[in-house]
Amino acid sequence: MELVLAIAVGILFGAGVWLILRPRTFQLITGLLLMSYAVNLFIFAMGRLWVNQPPITPTNTIDPSQLADPLPQSLVLTAIVIGFASTALYLVIMIGARGLSGSDHVDGEEPKA
Amino acid sequence: MNGLPGLNHLIVLPVLIPLIVGALLIPINPTRHTLKFALSLLSGVLLWLVAVTLLLLADGQHWRAGIGVYLAANWAAPFGIALVVDRLSALMLVLTATIALAVLVFSARGWGRVGTSYYALFQFLLVGLNGAFLTNDLFNLFVFFEVMLAASYGLVLHGYNIRRIQAGMQYIAVNLVASLLFLIGVSLIYAGTGTLNITDLAVRAAKLGAQEQWLLQMGAAILALAFLTKSAMWPFGFWLPNTYASASTPVGAMLVLMTKVGVYAVLRVWLAVFGDHAGALNQFGFDALIIGGMLTLFFGAIGLLASQEGARMAGFGAIVSSGTILAIIGHGGAPVLAAGLYYLLGSTLAMAAFMLLIELTQRIQPPGAALLALTMEAFAIEDKPEDPVGVGIPGTLAFLGLSFCACALVITGMPPLAGFVAKFSLFHALLAAADGPIPLLTWSLIGLIVFAGLAAIIAFMRLGVRTFWASGVVKPPRLLFSEAAPVAALVLLCVSLTVQAGPVFNYLERTTEGLHRHQDYKKRVLGTKAVKPQPNSREKQ
């Protein structure tokens, strides 16, 4: 499972990096989204990978080795919310830029060929 | 806890006040400028008072070791989020509140009336800044960084025109990527050490096994990339000059402060985690900071020489000042750091005043009469706020000239103002820090700082001559009192920083010595117990 997750994170992040180096805003925002997915998975994995383990237990006897780490799960939740919000904000600005400049190039103007 | 326990709640106020005021400002009708301005001003004044009180408390005997700890939601330190105020964070809070007040008053008649949510965004920016200075938790730092950035995205685009959008798109893209790096760094650090509390991290860093150490180092390095992007270290600082040059004036002045947040975060985390107590990790990354700082300094100096426009010059000036401070952090040592903090104070105040001043000096020339009319026109701002209608204050030209001179003196580091005191004491501390022969690195740092000073002198002289002497038809510009007063106040602060250099230096020396006493932080932050009865505990985040 570690291998699968690592490859998935790597592919997502690599694709994201390639996309944010592209000149069009749609490619840029897709790249940012892919990278943020990769980062979210990565944060999740940093609490080590667990299968079928609850993060919080209702019982009084607590055995940490039988529980998944709850902290990365809450971190990833916060990161998702913040990432989502800032990407949405960026999308609005991109639409504004498209309307104002008539170009979807990241420089706000078509490159002079 | 000795003293009044109620005073502890002051620590959370710099976050709460602007948060509440900002939320109140949103539903108010955008045409009610005076009400919005009055509320923002109230928040600014309150913030300033709270910040000064915190500074006095941190420097006084109120808290043991001068470290105040506020446990958010009453969870004890490594588990909950602790807000920590010490001399350094109190100083940064005062600096923030001072510049924020000046900028608020400046934008009262002009820029504040342009967009709809200017004042609310401004308050949220303050939430992020103050929170970043106060928090002792890495993930909470991320949250406050994001609050600050989200507000700054809106503010950079304030006075929506094509040029701001072009610069804003790049600014936002760079910062979104930096935020992702921040998250990767934080999660690697958590994977390596199992904690996000900076003080707890410092305690654990010394006892890590080889593999965890490696994770922590990797995480810290990636985290540093995020901080250094904010503080515009070369080669992560290419977004900065464009953003400064295109942002509206008051926002530019606040951006000057925002680059200092990155510097502050580096200083805070590196001194705490990789200080002398860190065992095998002692001094990790400091060499990279000093080299990177010097490269930044060089890049900024060249940029200063190359820029024609005032705002762009201010951007490169901010890069120079970031580079200097990063190199100083990399060099380390309490006396050197104290001189560096003094430099940070002086240069930030002067740079903010200079940003505000640029707009006022631009009114001197009627459009088209500028020496470099072509260049200027190519970059012309399209929709300015309406020209102020107030009566011209007599002697405006003299006022502008003197303020320009004072800012230039501080930024270039010429006598007799604060910049000179800062550089002189910096050189003195750098030379005194070396036992035996002075290393080449120190010499080259000193040489670079002198070179950057020279570049700044040339650039400022050119701008000054062009603005005040060679602009052809000089018509005394019309200034409003609310625009002149903040500039004058900031300049006067720079002057009083020079006059009161002794007490300020004493305070800064206490600050840096305190920063090096890790045991105090460990005792205070990890030793503070949650309050038992909790009828009205506050929530945060």
Side-chain angles (χ1 to χ4, degrees):
Chain A
M1 188 158 91
E2 280 84 354
L3 191 67
V4 173
L5 192 80
I7 290 173
V9 169
I11 290 176
L12 278 175
F13 204 82
V17 168
W18 188 74
L19 278 171
I20 64 165
L21 298 175
R22 306 293 301 158
R24 299 289 155 187
T25 50
F26 179 73
Q27 294 164 324
L28 175 58
I29 200 144
T30 317
L32 283 170
L33 279 172
L34 288 182
M35 279 168 81
S36 73
Y37 296 155
V39 169
N40 289 339
L41 281 177
F42 183 77
I43 300 174
F44 202 69
M46 282 302 110
R48 310 296 188 269
L49 295 175
W50 302 87
V51 180
N52 276 342
Q53 301 285 4
I56 298 170
T57 170
T59 56
N60 289 328
T61 49
I62 293 170
D63 177 13
S65 66
Q66 295 303 310
L67 296 173
D69 191 344
L71 194 74
Q73 305 193 3
S74 57
L75 295 188
V76 88
L77 204 60
T78 318
I80 289 171
V81 172
I82 291 180
F84 187 69
S86 45
T87 316
L89 184 72
Y90 196 28
L91 198 61
V92 172
I93 291 159
M94 281 176 173
I95 293 169
R98 174 77 174 79
L100 214 60
S101 68
S103 157
D104 68 343
H105 197 274
V106 286
D107 289 339
E109 58 189 10
E110 292 298 323
K112 295 170 194 74
Chain B
M1 194 63 42
N2 41 6
L4 288 170
L7 274 178
N8 248 22
H9 288 290
L10 274 181
I11 299 175
V12 77
L13 282 186
V15 179
L16 280 185
I17 294 172
L19 190 65
I20 293 169
V21 173
L24 279 179
L25 283 170
I26 291 176
I28 297 177
N29 191 327
T31 51
R32 306 192 62 181
H33 298 296
T34 322
L35 178 62
K36 287 195 160 202
F37 172 69
L39 273 176
S40 313
L41 194 67
L42 178 74
S43 143
V45 171
L46 278 178
L47 269 182
W48 194 81
L49 290 176
V50 170
V52 170
T53 317
L54 283 176
L55 186 127
L56 292 177
L57 286 176
D59 199 35
Q61 301 296 316
H62 181 70
W63 290 309
R64 237 171 304 140
I67 301 166
V69 181
Y70 181 88
L71 301 177
N74 206 21
W75 284 88
F79 307 111
I81 292 163
L83 300 185
V84 171
V85 61
D86 57 1
R87 291 187 182 92
L88 178 63
S89 43
L91 184 73
M92 298 306 285
L93 287 178
V94 173
L95 188 66
T96 310
T98 310
I99 292 180
L101 257 185
V103 171
L104 261 178
V105 174
F106 182 87
S107 47
R109 298 294 297 275
W111 287 105
R113 306 191 165 206
V114 175
T116 47
S117 303
Y118 174 77
Y119 289 118
L121 284 172
F122 196 92
Q123 296 298 318
F124 292 135
L125 182 69
L126 290 179
V127 175
L129 281 168
N130 288 340
F133 290 138
L134 282 172
T135 186
N136 195 39
D137 182 276
L138 281 178
F139 200 79
N140 195 227
L141 185 65
F142 167 74
V143 173
F144 279 122
F145 260 60
E146 287 303 306
V147 171
M148 178 183 84
L149 287 172
S152 80
Y153 299 156
L155 284 174
V156 162
L157 294 169
H158 181 67
Y160 216 59
N161 64 15
I162 183 73
R163 191 180 168 208
R164 298 214 171 99
I165 286 197
Q166 286 171 357
M169 292 243 289
Q170 287 157 14
Y171 171 71
I172 298 173
V174 167
N175 276 301
L176 284 177
V177 176
S179 299
L180 294 177
L181 290 177
F182 196 137
L183 281 175
I184 296 177
V186 164
S187 51
L188 275 172
I189 289 178
Y190 179 75
T193 62
T195 184
L196 290 173
N197 181 298
I198 296 174
T199 311
D200 196 26
L201 193 60
V203 175
R204 291 186 185 204
K207 312 173 206 159
L208 289 179
Q211 200 187 358
E212 282 83 25
Q213 232 173 46
W214 187 66
L215 276 174
L216 172 65
Q217 278 175 323
M218 210 157 56
I222 294 176
L223 192 66
L225 290 186
F227 291 158
L228 295 173
T229 309
K230 305 274 183 305
S231 53
M233 184 169 102
W234 189 86
F236 312 118
F238 294 116
W239 57 271
L240 189 140
N242 259 335
T243 313
Y244 272 54
S246 58
S248 54
T249 322
V251 178
M254 288 312 280
L255 280 174
V256 172
L257 204 57
M258 282 176 56
T259 52
K260 302 298 179 286
V261 183
V263 174
Y264 169 86
V266 170
L267 180 61
R268 172 68 70 198
V269 175
W270 253 253
L271 271 190
V273 181
F274 301 112
D276 304 325
H277 62 296
L281 291 175
N282 183 13
Q283 300 294 313
F284 167 72
F286 279 79
D287 286 342
L289 281 180
I290 192 167
I291 301 282
M294 281 162 61
L295 285 172
T296 315
L297 198 56
F298 184 69
F299 171 66
I302 298 292
L304 263 179
L305 282 179
S307 46
Q308 306 281 354
E309 219 185 337
R312 191 169 284 272
M313 262 174 61
F316 281 109
I319 291 182
V320 167
S321 110
S322 275
T324 312
I325 300 165
L326 286 173
I328 289 166
I329 296 173
H331 183 282
V336 179
L337 219 50
L341 285 178
Y342 185 83
Y343 172 82
L344 181 136
L345 278 184
S347 71
T348 312
L349 284 173
M351 208 75 81
F354 180 64
M355 279 305 285
L356 298 182
L357 200 61
I358 291 167
E359 182 178 318
L360 303 184
T361 54
Q362 275 167 355
R363 291 189 197 147
I364 290 179
Q365 308 114 303
L371 196 68
L372 281 166
L374 270 181
T375 334
M376 297 290 183
E377 240 158 53
F379 287 107
I381 298 171
E382 277 141 33
D383 57 341
K384 275 187 160 183
E386 73 265 34
D387 273 342
V389 282
V391 244
I393 301 166
T396 42
L397 265 182
F399 167 75
L400 289 180
L402 279 177
S403 311
F404 181 86
C405 247
C407 289
L409 283 179
V410 176
I411 295 172
T412 55
M414 294 295 283
L417 286 185
F420 175 71
V421 180
K423 282 193 181 169
F424 188 82
S425 49
L426 194 55
F427 293 164
H428 177 75
L430 279 173
L431 294 178
D435 38 284
I438 292 149
L440 185 67
L441 207 59
T442 308
W443 277 125
S444 36
L445 177 59
I446 291 178
L448 266 176
I449 294 177
V450 171
F451 170 69
L454 180 70
I457 291 172
I458 295 172
F460 273 90
M461 205 117 84
R462 193 174 49 190
L463 185 72
V465 166
R466 191 188 299 149
T467 316
F468 292 100
W469 292 343
S471 55
V473 201
V474 172
K475 102 177 175 239
R478 286 169 171 270
L479 296 190
L480 295 167
F481 177 72
S482 70
E483 289 170 330
V487 177
L490 288 178
V491 168
L492 281 180
L493 262 178
C494 287
V495 174
S496 55
L497 204 59
T498 323
V499 178
Q500 294 295 315
V504 174
F505 254 100
N506 289 339
Y507 177 84
L508 292 176
E509 266 159 24
R510 287 196 295 276
T511 308
T512 49
E513 276 160 20
L515 279 177
H516 285 87
R517 279 198 292 271
H518 304 280
Q519 288 306 318
D520 286 352
Y521 282 89
K522 187 176 159 189
K523 267 187 217 138
R524 290 291 289 129
V525 177
L526 301 181
T528 303
K529 297 272 182 297
V531 189
K532 275 281 147 51
Q534 37 160 322
N536 55 350
S537 65
R538 296 183 189 207
E539 249 189 314
K540 244 192 34 54
Q541 171 164 347

